[in-house]
Structure formats: structure tokens, C-alpha cells
Amino acid sequence: MKVAIVGAGQVGAAAAYALALQGPASEIVLIDRSAALAAAQAEDIAHAVPFASAVRVRAGDYDAAAGSAVAILAAGVAQKPGETRLELLGRNAAVFAEVVAEVLRVAPDAILLVASNPVDVMTQAATRLSNLPPARVIGSGTILDTARFRHLLGRHLGVAPQSVHGLVLGEHGDSEVLCWSGATVGAAPLAVVARDLGRPLDPAAMETIDEGVRRAAYRIIEGKGATWFGIGAGLARIVRAIGADARDVLTLSMLTPEVAGVRELALSLPRVIGAEGIIATLPPALSPPEAEALARSAAILKASADPLGF
């Protein structure tokens, strides 16, 4: 499977590195406005390949992406001093208009995997710009937030995060919804396991975990400027599910007809993903407060996307 990555900055490079180590792709092509940056990232990652897999990693222009099965869109512009969020969104939408057109020119059958922030709004923009079925334009959404939730729950309980099953839905951002009510460890409800292990989830512990998930990006950005390792691994995980037609259930963003009474918006829900993209959405059972929080998150995203005309 050939994977193109548009945007060779930290996120795009981390995704390429994770793909090289995990091995689901046969070829990775890095594309960037700075050809020197793309070439340097590709060469550096290629030097890790002998330790991990047989993937070919190279840099190129859009023509080099011909025949890609997946195109990861990690391109975007940084916010200028004094620039409003809406102005930033407008400039990123203009970047996406160019990127999407070029990718589909050379790889019309590619699944678009959106990583650029704000990822839900950019997923909606990419869907409209591409005229592709929404199932083929996938946002990384809350896959990283869900991983953070599982990590922190596992640490609190003293169990492996792979054994924790808890979802984060809605916006990849401040209004995201941690679904405590349906969380499990193995096959047992979270609260039962916490009690049995002697590590109860009292309100203070829940608040600490909520803050740990919701504010993670801010802490990381304060310390090193941006986040990239977690989302790079998450993007590789999505590509692996597509390449293997795995039918995995992941919390991904997609333009959705209606959520909690809000129509036509992109946000994260549990989605079944395989070779053709998103195959189905599995609406979760939520507590009344979680359902209200998801409705608020949907309304916030709708208000962000509508002024852009998408």
C-alpha cells in the first residue's frame, strides 16, 4: 500500500516514522512546500527502515503520490499574531483547496486522512472541497484523546492501557466528551474494577483524569511547542486498519448528517473502518450529562464551520 503525506513538518514526519516502524505501507512519499525539508525527513526516516520493515520512504512532488491508497493531509498554516480563529480557518481552507485538488489529480481513488487542526472543521472542508463520499474523508478526530483517556485510566488503576476501553467523542478540542458511563476494563465496568483494585474513581480522581486528557495538548505545547508523537502513532494506526481491511472501531471524525439534533457537521464518534474508509458509525450509549455535552460540542463545531461555507 502506498501512502502519501502532504506536510513534512513534525506531525507528517512522526506519522511517516510510525508507519515505517509498524510496516503497513510498502511506500511512503513525503510532500512539502519545502522540498529540502521533505527530502531531509524522508532520508532520516529511511535510515530507520533497516531496523524495522521493508518500506520505501522518499520525498517528491504531487506527481510522486500517483496511485496512493491513502493521503495524509498534515499541511496548514500557523496562526499570525492578532489573527482570529476564523481568519486562520479561512487561510487553512485555502491551503486545503490546493492540496486536495492536487492529491486527487494524481490519486483519485485515495482515502483522505485529515490531520491538520482544527481537525473536525478541516475534515468538513476537505469533504466539501473533494466532493468525495464522506466515508472516504476521515479526520483523525479524537483517536489521540481516546488514547490519552485510556493511558490515564490505566495509570490510575495500575493496568495496561490496552485493557482499558473508554471513548472520547465530539470535538478534538476543549468541548470533547469523555464517556465515563460506558468505560470498561476487560469485560467489567470501570467503576467495578476500580473498586475491586482498591483504586476508586472519586470525583477528585475523575477531575484529574479529565483535566489530564482535555489539557494535554496545552501542556505539551507549552513544554516543546507542538504535539506530534501521539498523533503520528494514531495516524499510523488508522492507516493500518485501512490497509488490512481490519474493520476496527476507532473514534474518528467524519461529516455526519445529524448528531444530537445538529445537522451536517464533522465530529468524532465510534466508526468501523476498513479498506473502503468508514463503513459504519456505532452510536454509543451515553448518560444524560454525556449526551448533553455531545450536543454542546456539536453546536460549537457547527458554529465554527458554518461561516466558512462548508
Side-chain angles (χ1 to χ4, degrees):
M1 177 174 61
K2 184 175 181 178
V3 178
I5 301 176
V6 183
Q10 298 288 16
V11 170
Y17 183 60
L19 284 168
L21 293 185
Q22 294 181 21
S26 58
E27 183 177 0
I28 301 168
V29 178
L30 284 161
I31 302 166
D32 197 274
R33 286 185 181 276
S34 170
L37 175 63
Q41 298 281 38
E43 183 174 5
D44 194 13
I45 294 166
H47 295 163
V49 168
F51 301 112
S53 66
V55 63
R56 179 187 181 196
V57 184
R58 64 189 178 101
D61 56 14
Y62 283 104
D63 287 337
S68 294
V70 178
I72 297 175
L73 309 185
V77 293
Q79 193 164 9
K80 297 178 178 178
E83 185 177 37
T84 68
R85 186 170 182 269
L86 184 58
E87 289 169 339
L88 174 63
L89 283 169
R91 290 201 297 129
N92 265 328
V95 171
F96 260 45
E98 175 187 342
V99 168
V100 168
E102 285 295 295
V103 168
L104 293 181
R105 176 179 64 82
V106 298
D109 297 324
I111 291 172
L112 303 184
L113 178 50
V114 180
S116 301
N117 278 320
V119 69
D120 301 293
V121 176
M122 299 316 297
T123 299
Q124 185 162 337
T127 305
R128 299 300 194 198
L129 290 165
S130 67
N131 290 316
L132 291 173
R136 288 182 54 201
V137 184
I138 303 166
S140 57
T142 56
I143 191 170
L144 177 55
D145 310 276
T146 293
R148 290 167 174 162
F149 190 28
R150 295 173 66 191
H151 162 71
L152 290 172
L153 282 173
R155 189 171 70 181
H156 176 83
L157 297 171
V159 302
Q162 292 85 351
S163 297
V164 178
H165 306 284
L167 306 176
V168 178
L169 307 177
E171 178 194 18
H172 172 55
D174 293 343
S175 72
E176 63 192 20
V177 182
L178 279 65
C179 299
W180 293 92
S181 64
T184 63
V185 181
L190 173 62
V192 172
V193 173
R195 180 200 65 200
D196 291 348
L197 292 176
R199 303 189 182 192
L201 282 162
D202 56 27
M206 293 175 69
E207 183 178 354
T208 297
I209 291 171
D210 183 285
E211 191 275 341
V213 174
R214 201 177 302 274
R215 304 294 297 177
Y218 295 101
R219 290 192 305 276
I220 295 168
I221 290 168
E222 182 179 357
K224 69 173 194 174
T227 68
W228 56 81
F229 291 125
I231 189 56
L235 292 165
R237 178 69 181 85
I238 298 166
V239 172
R240 193 166 80 239
I242 293 169
D245 194 21
R247 311 299 177 99
D248 289 324
V249 178
L250 304 173
T251 52
L252 301 171
S253 189
M254 182 183 79
L255 183 61
T256 305
E258 186 271 332
V259 177
V262 181
R263 298 187 59 81
E264 293 293 317
L265 76 158
L267 83 175
S268 285
L269 292 170
R271 318 276 190 181
V272 182
I273 183 169
E276 300 304 315
I278 291 175
I279 298 162
T281 297
L282 306 177
L286 302 174
S287 68
E290 290 166 353
E292 292 173 8
L294 184 61
R296 287 194 299 272
S297 188
I300 288 169
L301 286 168
K302 180 71 171 175
S304 294
D306 277 358
L308 296 177
F310 296 118

